[in-house]
Amino acid sequence: MYLELKDKSGKVYRSFINDKQKPVIIINGTEYEVSGLIPSQESSDALTASQIAELDTDPVIEEMIKQSKHEIKRGLTFSSKQMIDMIKNGEL
């Protein structure tokens, strides 16, 4: 099992096999055993089914989606180029 962690400063911590033949990673001088990881078939940014279900039931997100659908039906949409131009012009 191989694991890499990167902290906010960009320092990378890599796992290795210790003297007890267990996968570990050392962070700030402390050895942590790595276990029970299931590699993702997709990007590490992929959402799990439970995370998606949580988002689907969030009332704030549900309202945002309803508002977006309503605005799309009314033709209140912008292209990516329009949004970039608006940002560059300080309109947003």
Side-chain angles (χ1 to χ4, degrees), residues 38-54:
I38 301 170
S40 172
Q41 297 298 321
E42 298 176 20
S43 152
S44 61
D45 294 333
L47 295 174
T48 65
S50 64
Q51 290 170 317
I52 292 170
E54 185 178 333

Side-chain angles (χ1 to χ4, degrees), residues 8-23:
K8 290 180 183 178
S9 69
K11 182 175 180 181
V12 176
Y13 301 90
R14 290 182 175 86
S15 64
F16 61 94
I17 303 298
N18 69 2
D19 297 339
K20 298 176 187 174
Q21 298 302 307
K22 299 206 178 222

